[in-house]
Amino acid sequence: MPRTPLQTTIRQHLQYLQQIFGCLTEARIIGPDRRALQLGTIYSVLLNGNDPVRLDGHQPLAFSGGQEFRIVQRPDGGNQLLEVEVTQYWYQFALPNGGKLLTFHWTPERSSPGQRTYPHLHVESSVLDPAGPFLPDTFNKLHIPTGPVSLAAIVRFAIEELGVTPIPRDWNERLLKAEAAFWQVRPSIASD
Amino acid sequence: MVTVKSHTRNPAQTARRARAKLRPIQPEYITRAEGVVLLDRQARKYLNMSGEEFRRKFRSGELTYDDHPDVVRVAMIIPLAEN
């Protein structure tokens, strides 16, 4: 049975994410059943069912990540173009024993009281000095502003800064292509 | 100019690279029923409650991201269990 444009868009998005996550891990991502998709509905895509995956490199690490997104329709000349609109991302580096290190998070549309709607970073307790002079008990709860961070940038950070061993030989090309696409659709942010 | 740290490969890493080249990993698509099972499993594992209890508390605002570091981990499964 031929795929609908909506199914094709979601399939392409998930394959793209799998390719980027695949620079770090062989774990699969999971996404929504393609038979019951609707425009405007929020779906999630999660690496390894949102359980951490182990990353090999200079120092063992664990990584978790996922996105929520919807497919929207936008006018494009005389046609209607389907686009992926990310409504949440969450990427976390941790120690293999579970101690959390860094969490990148963005929920632009949440409206519950106290919910931060700007993209932010949590520096987690495993990298903080519990006897430090500044907010030692609560620093990990601070929402440190970051600007939107692409999954490709997270993966590049893991490889180039944290010393994670990339799996495919063409990891840099994959990330360059993904990063270019990310900024192409966010020119106003790129020029800030 | 970015300098990438050199990575020492072991046989397992070499095998992973070979597998990735031969057969690219494909996403898995799950049904809503499978999403319900996943939500229940992860809510019990990370937050010691059923998936239904978690979903009710999260949707009502009784449970928020600030209440526990793993709320976001589990909450992100909800769309797979609902849609």
Side-chain angles (χ1 to χ4, degrees):
Chain A
M1 194 154 86
R3 293 190 185 97
T4 65
L6 185 56
Q7 288 172 329
T8 301
T9 304
I10 288 193
R11 181 170 172 270
Q12 286 171 345
H13 183 56
L14 263 64
Q15 284 185 331
Y16 154 79
L17 293 176
Q18 183 75 72
Q19 264 217 337
I20 305 303
F21 280 123
C23 293
L24 299 179
T25 174
E26 289 184 295
R28 295 174 79 180
I29 58 172
I30 59 169
D33 186 354
R34 285 176 291 177
R35 287 168 301 182
L37 300 171
Q38 290 184 318
L39 273 178
T41 298
I42 291 180
Y43 299 106
S44 50
V45 53
L46 309 169
L47 179 66
N48 199 37
N50 246 8
D51 278 325
V53 295
R54 189 185 164 99
L55 306 180
D56 290 325
H58 293 179
Q59 208 172 318
L61 278 174
F63 177 70
S64 305
Q67 286 185 358
E68 288 182 5
F69 66 93
R70 67 163 73 89
I71 304 296
V72 294
Q73 202 167 31
R74 298 200 194 288
D76 176 42
N79 300 316
Q80 293 294 316
L81 187 70
L82 296 184
E83 279 186 3
V84 176
E85 199 172 77
V86 174
T87 58
Q88 176 166 202
Y89 67 64
W90 176 76
Y91 308 116
Q92 184 173 79
F93 293 96
L95 297 171
N97 69 7
K100 295 170 177 56
L101 299 171
L102 297 170
T103 304
F104 296 85
H105 192 206
W106 188 22
T107 52
E109 296 179 6
R110 296 285 179 193
S111 56
S112 61
Q115 180 67 51
R116 308 303 193 274
T117 53
Y118 56 87
H120 59 266
L121 166 71
H122 292 285
V123 178
E124 304 285 5
S125 46
S126 295
V127 287
L128 295 171
D129 179 358
F134 187 70
L135 303 175
D137 298 328
T138 55
F139 194 90
N140 64 324
K141 294 190 182 302
L142 301 184
H143 301 78
I144 303 168
T146 59
V149 181
S150 69
L151 173 61
I154 296 289
V155 170
R156 183 178 293 284
F157 169 67
I159 294 169
E160 294 182 349
E161 303 294 328
L162 301 179
V164 173
T165 306
I167 294 178
R169 284 190 195 282
D170 65 345
W171 65 270
N172 192 39
E173 290 73 20
R174 287 188 195 190
L175 299 184
L176 285 172
K177 196 172 159 189
E179 285 159 350
F182 180 82
W183 289 110
Q184 199 171 25
V185 295
R186 289 169 179 77
S188 60
I189 296 168
S191 62
D192 280 350
Chain B
M1 177 75 181
V2 174
T3 307
V4 183
K5 294 171 189 165
S6 64
H7 298 92
T8 309
R9 294 196 174 278
N10 62 32
Q13 288 162 352
T14 307
R16 270 201 296 276
R17 176 168 281 184
R19 281 198 298 273
K21 196 173 176 184
L22 278 176
R23 191 164 53 93
I25 301 158
Q26 294 296 320
E28 180 184 357
Y29 297 90
I30 66 171
T31 64
R32 187 162 48 190
E34 290 167 331
V36 169
V37 171
L38 177 65
L39 176 65
D40 189 64
R41 189 175 80 221
Q42 300 298 59
R44 289 179 192 280
K45 180 175 173 180
Y46 290 103
L47 298 166
N48 202 28
M49 66 178 78
S50 72
E52 193 43 52
E53 181 185 1
F54 174 79
R55 182 161 57 166
R56 181 171 43 77
K57 287 183 172 175
F58 184 75
R59 286 294 187 218
S60 70
E62 190 183 332
L63 198 56
T64 71
Y65 290 142
D66 291 335
D67 291 327
H68 189 285
D70 282 320
V71 167
V72 59
R73 181 190 297 278
V74 180
M76 290 189 76
I77 304 169
I78 291 178
L80 290 173
E82 288 183 342
N83 302 317

